[in-house]
């Protein structure tokens, strides 16, 4: 399965694949590849030996304004060198060594969000980043260090966080599989936090997303100029009202 993000006239394709066939000539390109508008390979970007594990579909690759890529997933190495579940790549596919993660995340990372301030929100299944407790959510500085002004600590979310969406006022919406944040009850599978990590009391998703799946896929998106946002996934209701996988 692959997903794609646009970069002007180019597309990054990612997923659980180990090659790409161009004009009947197979080319090795593991997990991530950059394609031109006509779907030929853009050879200015190369991952070489690539990742040792999956970069999840669902936009686990985010491009910064300078063209560099933030990549999350379940991998633990890139081109044979340790990279625990997050890395920043230069525009040619090489590792950006100015983004220092130390020991990185101790478990799987999900869909990241690049803040308008340049900081990076990372949700996932992890409990620590570079040896520091940050349960299921972390905010990183532009250099890869943990942003301690957004304290998550050992409590964090009570289940896996999947995606972060930033608002104009720098507050964030987070989807996750649980119903508490730092030990406090919050909306089922959806919560709003301030830029310092406090619950926003005026945001109440009630019983939230209902699904026959204990861990339903929930993807968020927003159109330019709108403050509302859309959720799609494997849920069948929101706050007790039936919805067919989109709300």
């Amino acid at each position: 399965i692959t997903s794609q993000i646009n970069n002007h006239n180019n597309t990054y394709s990612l997923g659980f694949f180990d090659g790409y066939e161009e004009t009947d000539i197979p080319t090795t390109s593991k997990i991530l590849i950059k394609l031109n508008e006509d779907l030929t390979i853009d050879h200015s970007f190369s991952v070489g030996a690539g990742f040792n594990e999956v970069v999840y579909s669902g936009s686990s690759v985010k491009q910064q304004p300078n063209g560099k890529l933030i990549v999350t997933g379940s991998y633990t190495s890139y081109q044979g060198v340790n990279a625990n579940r997050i890395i920043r790549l230069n525009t040619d596919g090489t590792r950006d060594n100015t983004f220092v993660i130390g020991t990185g995340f101790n478990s799987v990372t999900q869909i990241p969000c690049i803040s308008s301030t340049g900081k990076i929100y990372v949700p996932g299944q992890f409990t620590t980043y570079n040896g520091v407790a940050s349960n299921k959510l972390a905010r990183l500085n532009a250099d890869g260090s943990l942003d301690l002004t957004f304290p998550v600590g050992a409590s964090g979310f009570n289940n896996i966080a999947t995606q972060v969406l930033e608002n104009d006022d720098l507050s964030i919406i987070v989807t996750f599989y649980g119903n508490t944040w730092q030990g406090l009850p919050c909306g089922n599978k959806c919560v709003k936090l301030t830029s310092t990590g406090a619950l926003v009391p005026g945001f109440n998703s009630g019983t939230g997303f209902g699904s026959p799946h204990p861990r339903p896929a929930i993807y968020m998106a927003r159109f330019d100029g709108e403050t509302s946002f859309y959720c799609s996934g494997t849920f069948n209701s929101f706050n007790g009202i039936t919805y067919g996988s989109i709300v």
Side-chain angles (χ1 to χ4, degrees):
I1 299 172
T2 65
S3 64
Q4 303 169 339
I5 62 171
N6 293 325
N7 173 26
H8 302 297
N9 293 326
N10 301 103
T11 299
Y12 290 99
S13 294
L14 57 139
F16 194 44
F17 57 84
D18 57 11
Y20 181 81
E21 188 169 305
E22 178 185 81
T23 60
D24 299 323
I25 301 174
T27 302
T28 300
S29 186
K30 192 174 182 180
I31 307 298
L32 178 64
I33 194 170
K34 186 179 181 181
L35 303 178
N36 295 310
E37 192 173 19
D38 61 359
L39 300 186
T40 57
I41 297 171
D42 183 342
H43 292 284
S44 69
F45 178 88
S46 175
V47 300
F51 298 93
N52 69 324
E53 284 290 343
V54 179
V55 173
Y56 290 118
S57 59
S59 299
S60 288
V61 174
K62 296 291 185 180
Q63 188 175 51
Q64 295 182 317
N66 61 6
K68 294 183 180 184
L69 301 179
I70 299 294
V71 187
T72 57
S74 65
Y75 61 86
T76 56
S77 71
Y78 179 72
Q79 296 181 344
V81 180
N82 286 347
N84 281 321
R85 304 174 184 91
I86 190 168
I87 195 171
R88 185 164 67 196
L89 302 181
N90 294 310
T91 56
D92 61 358
T94 57
R95 180 196 298 251
D96 179 1
N97 291 314
T98 67
F99 188 76
V100 181
I101 68 170
T103 57
F105 290 100
N106 69 335
S107 190
V108 175
T109 51
Q110 298 273 0
I111 303 172
C113 171
I114 299 173
S115 169
S116 59
T117 65
K119 298 184 178 186
I120 303 157
Y121 287 98
V122 184
Q125 188 174 346
F126 54 84
T127 58
T128 66
Y129 176 72
N130 197 17
V132 180
S134 194
N135 193 28
K136 312 294 190 297
L137 181 65
R139 186 169 73 188
L140 308 184
N141 295 308
D143 62 359
S145 60
L146 185 64
D147 181 4
L148 299 178
T149 67
F150 185 81
V152 176
S155 52
F157 286 111
N158 67 331
N159 212 323
I160 300 169
T162 56
Q163 190 178 0
V164 177
L165 183 69
E166 187 179 61
N167 301 307
D168 289 341
D169 63 357
L170 301 184
S171 63
I172 58 172
I173 308 293
V174 186
T175 51
F176 67 114
Y177 296 142
N179 54 14
T180 69
W181 165 250
Q182 296 186 333
L184 298 174
C186 60
N188 188 37
K189 301 182 177 64
C190 187
V191 66
K192 185 177 182 180
L193 305 176
T194 68
S195 59
T196 58
L199 283 170
V200 176
F203 183 88
N204 184 5
S205 59
T207 56
F209 293 97
S211 173
H213 307 282
R215 295 180 176 177
I218 305 172
Y219 299 113
M220 295 184 288
R222 173 181 283 141
F223 290 111
D224 290 343
E226 292 190 357
T227 56
S228 57
F229 62 100
Y230 298 82
C231 293
S232 62
T234 54
F235 54 86
N236 54 19
S237 68
F238 180 75
N239 201 12
I241 300 174
T242 298
Y243 287 98
S245 299
I246 187 168
V247 62

